[in-house]
């Protein structure tokens, strides 16, 4: 006859087995759901890459000299040497730009040249490959910008939402994006990086810092409870449950650490990919230009900070006015209409609704409303600040 203790242990074991089995089933369902959600995203990215490659190969027009002088000309010199015939403008000689952007296309040039030699292409096909390679690279960058625009819409409004699909439709059918996004301008790469950063940005931090005040303002103090925070997270922004109402200093320290590591990586990339002892001898013809392109002065290895140099030349000394002056209302009267074209009315309605919502947000939509307001404010504030510069682009 079994003892009572043995019977209890047996009963507990039998009850644990179905529970463990259910947990395994739940994990499998979650993994399957992730695969189902990832598959459409990969299909959309593949479509966008093919679409932008068709886009870049269809455009045969010339837009701005910076398409070449900001990236391809210095990239050609980095890839093939100072005697390769590249045209290096004064901006590079005065350390106004970073070498990271042309380094991307320099790598593309070198790989294309090696592939051409491996396949023993004729000079004509070799030239066509060198012409097409950077354009296709930029097409992939533009497709990533489109893809993360859609992902940003999903993060704000929720997966599979009509608003996210509308964002994808607008970026794909935009005339300006078709005309400009696949050009090798530094602004095009910056646009993609900005969209990716906005998608990855921890928008819930603003509620961590001011959540109580905003909840009190809209009568939503209960949104600070863990169960309400979970509902808020499931509404599309996926913020974690709030454990405090003030911004944790450790998060700021983590952000500083990330920025520091990125800065070290950028300097390391400049050094590893683009510097050697030959580049640092400024006594030889052409090497001085190369050293200036990298933000280094001769043998002294003195690093410069291109953004600061850029502000000094264009703001403090106002040398950019050499290329023309624009009216203070340039971005309002020409910038927005040119970039948005037929989508301008929808953008104006969206800005107004984000800044002045018709009704107070609910506990589930508080984070969404806050994020939309921050994005709308940034979209208006940045052009206002840039309007104080005489030369506008």
């Amino acid at each position: 006859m079994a003892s009572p203790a043995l019977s209890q242990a047996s009963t507990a074991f039998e009850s644990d087995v179905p529970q463990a089995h259910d947990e395994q089933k739940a994990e499998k369902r979650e993994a399957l759901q992730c695969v189902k959600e990832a598959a459409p995203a990969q299909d959309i990215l593949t479509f966008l890459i093919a679409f932008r490659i068709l886009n870049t190969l269809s455009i045969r027009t010339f837009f701005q000299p910076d398409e070449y002088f900001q990236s391809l000309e210095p990239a050609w010199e980095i890839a093939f040497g100072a005697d390769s015939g590249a045209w290096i403008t004064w901006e590079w000689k005065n350390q106004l730009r970073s070498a990271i952007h042309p380094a991307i296309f320099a790598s593309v040039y070198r790989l294309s040249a090696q592939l051409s030699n491996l396949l023993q292409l004729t000079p004509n096909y070799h030239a066509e490959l060198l012409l097409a390679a950077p354009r296709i690279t930029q097409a992939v960058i533009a497709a990533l910008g489109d893809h993360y625009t859609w992902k940003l819409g999903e993060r704000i409004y929720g997966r599979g939402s009509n608003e996210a699909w509308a964002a994808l439709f607008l970026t794909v059918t935009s005339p300006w994006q078709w005309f400009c996004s696949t050009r090798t301008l530094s602004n095009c790469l910056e646009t993609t990086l900005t969209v990716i950063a906005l998608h990855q940005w921890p928008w819930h931090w603003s509620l961590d810092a001011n959540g109580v005040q905003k909840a009190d303002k809209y009568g939503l103090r209960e949104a600070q409870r863990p169960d309400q925070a979970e509902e808020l997270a499931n509404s599309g922004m996926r913020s974690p449950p709030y454990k405090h109402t003030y911004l944790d200093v450790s998060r700021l320290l983590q952000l500083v650490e990330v920025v520091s590591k990125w800065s070290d990586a950028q300097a390391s990339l400049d050094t590893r990919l683009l510097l050697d002892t030959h580049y640092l001898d400024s006594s030889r013809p052409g090497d001085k230009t190369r050293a200036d392109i990298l933000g280094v002065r001769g043998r002294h290895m003195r690093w410069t900070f291109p953004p600061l140099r850029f502000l000094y030349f264009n703001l403090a000394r106002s040398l950019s006015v050499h290329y023309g002056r624009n009216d203070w209302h340039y971005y309002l009267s020409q910038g927005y209409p040119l970039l948005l074209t037929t989508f301008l009315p929808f953008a104006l309605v969206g800005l107004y609704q984000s800044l002045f919502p018709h009704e107070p947000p609910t506990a589930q939509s508080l984070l969404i409303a806050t994020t939309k307001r921050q994005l709308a404010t940034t979209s208006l504030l940045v052009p206002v600040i840039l309007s104080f510069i005489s030369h506008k682009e």
Side-chain angles (χ1 to χ4, degrees):
M1 186 173 182
S3 64
L6 183 59
S7 299
Q8 291 178 359
S10 177
T11 303
F13 175 76
E14 290 175 357
S15 62
D16 288 342
V17 171
Q19 183 178 359
H21 186 63
D22 292 340
E23 291 178 355
Q24 292 178 355
K25 282 187 175 181
E27 292 177 357
K28 290 180 179 179
R29 283 196 298 267
E30 290 181 1
L32 183 60
Q33 184 65 24
C34 291
V35 171
K36 289 181 178 179
E37 293 176 352
Q42 294 177 356
D43 293 341
I44 290 175
L45 180 58
T46 302
F47 163 76
L48 290 173
I49 291 175
F51 176 76
R52 288 303 175 192
I53 290 177
L54 175 64
N55 180 181
T56 192
L57 297 179
S58 301
I59 292 180
R60 298 290 182 176
T61 56
F62 171 82
F63 179 38
Q64 278 193 356
D66 285 343
E67 293 178 46
Y68 309 100
F69 298 139
Q70 282 185 355
S71 54
L72 298 185
E73 292 292 337
W76 186 274
E77 180 172 282
I78 294 172
F80 302 118
D83 299 329
S84 59
W87 188 278
I88 305 301
T89 60
W90 65 275
E91 295 173 303
W92 296 102
K93 298 176 183 179
N94 288 277
Q95 302 96 36
L96 299 187
R97 297 191 180 277
S98 170
I100 297 298
H101 185 222
I104 297 174
F105 295 106
S107 301
V108 172
Y109 277 139
R110 292 296 297 269
L111 291 174
S112 301
Q114 293 176 3
L115 179 62
S116 177
N117 294 333
L118 180 64
L119 299 177
Q120 297 181 348
L121 299 180
T122 62
N124 288 338
Y125 285 110
H126 175 77
E128 290 293 333
L129 178 61
L130 292 178
L131 287 173
R135 301 178 66 180
I136 293 176
T137 302
Q138 181 57 45
V140 174
I141 294 174
L144 287 174
D146 297 332
H147 180 73
Y148 275 94
T149 299
W150 170 62
K151 297 292 289 183
L152 176 61
E154 283 201 325
R155 188 180 176 195
I156 295 176
Y157 296 102
R159 289 182 177 175
S161 61
N162 293 333
E163 293 85 352
W165 288 111
L168 179 62
F169 172 79
L170 290 175
T171 188
V172 168
T173 58
S174 169
W176 179 260
Q177 287 289 87
W178 176 271
F179 179 71
C180 189
S181 66
T182 59
R183 299 182 185 273
T184 53
L185 294 161
S186 61
N187 307 72
C188 297
L189 175 61
E190 292 166 1
T191 299
T192 296
L193 294 178
T194 300
V195 174
I196 295 175
L198 290 174
H199 172 261
Q200 300 293 337
W201 185 256
W203 295 103
H204 61 274
W205 283 13
S206 58
L207 283 189
D208 287 347
N210 303 309
V212 172
Q213 292 86 339
K214 292 178 180 179
D216 287 337
K217 177 180 177 182
Y218 295 112
L220 299 173
R221 183 62 177 263
E222 66 274 9
Q224 298 304 308
R225 300 200 311 267
D227 56 339
Q228 294 291 339
E230 185 178 356
E231 294 179 8
L232 192 64
N234 293 331
S235 64
M237 297 303 292
R238 299 187 178 278
S239 67
Y242 305 123
K243 297 181 180 180
H244 50 74
T245 57
Y246 297 98
L247 183 61
D248 192 349
V249 177
S250 63
R251 288 181 174 174
L252 292 177
L253 296 178
Q254 292 175 2
L255 180 61
V256 172
E257 182 180 1
V258 170
V259 173
S260 300
K261 289 181 179 179
W262 180 86
S263 300
D264 294 340
Q266 181 178 6
S268 176
L269 181 62
D270 277 338
T271 304
R272 290 198 312 269
L273 295 182
L274 307 174
L275 285 180
D276 54 32
T277 54
H278 172 74
Y279 273 67
L280 297 179
D281 189 355
S282 59
S283 62
R284 284 195 289 263
D287 289 356
K288 174 66 164 53
T289 301
R290 294 186 185 183
D292 284 338
I293 289 175
L294 302 175
V296 181
R297 293 289 296 181
R299 298 188 184 93
H300 300 290
M301 290 294 292
R302 181 172 66 85
W303 291 93
T304 62
F305 188 52
L308 184 60
R309 298 277 298 175
F310 186 86
L311 292 176
Y312 173 71
F313 268 75
N314 289 281
L315 295 182
R317 299 184 61 182
S318 297
L319 292 181
S320 60
V321 298
H322 173 73
Y323 297 99
R325 295 176 180 268
N326 301 91
D327 296 328
W328 64 268
H329 54 77
Y330 172 81
Y331 291 114
L332 179 63
S333 61
Q334 300 181 48
Y336 274 122
L338 184 62
L339 268 64
L340 296 171
T341 57
T342 55
F343 301 140
L344 180 60
F346 304 103
L348 295 177
V349 172
L351 288 172
Y352 180 81
Q353 292 180 348
S354 299
L355 295 172
F356 308 102
H358 296 297
E359 55 186 21
T362 63
Q364 291 79 11
S365 63
L366 178 59
L367 184 55
I368 296 176
T370 302
T371 303
K372 289 168 58 179
R373 183 167 60 253
Q374 291 175 346
L375 288 172
T377 302
T378 303
S379 300
L380 295 176
L381 185 61
V382 172
V384 168
I385 296 175
L386 295 179
S387 294
F388 289 96
I389 303 175
S390 297
H391 176 72
K392 303 174 180 65
E393 295 181 351

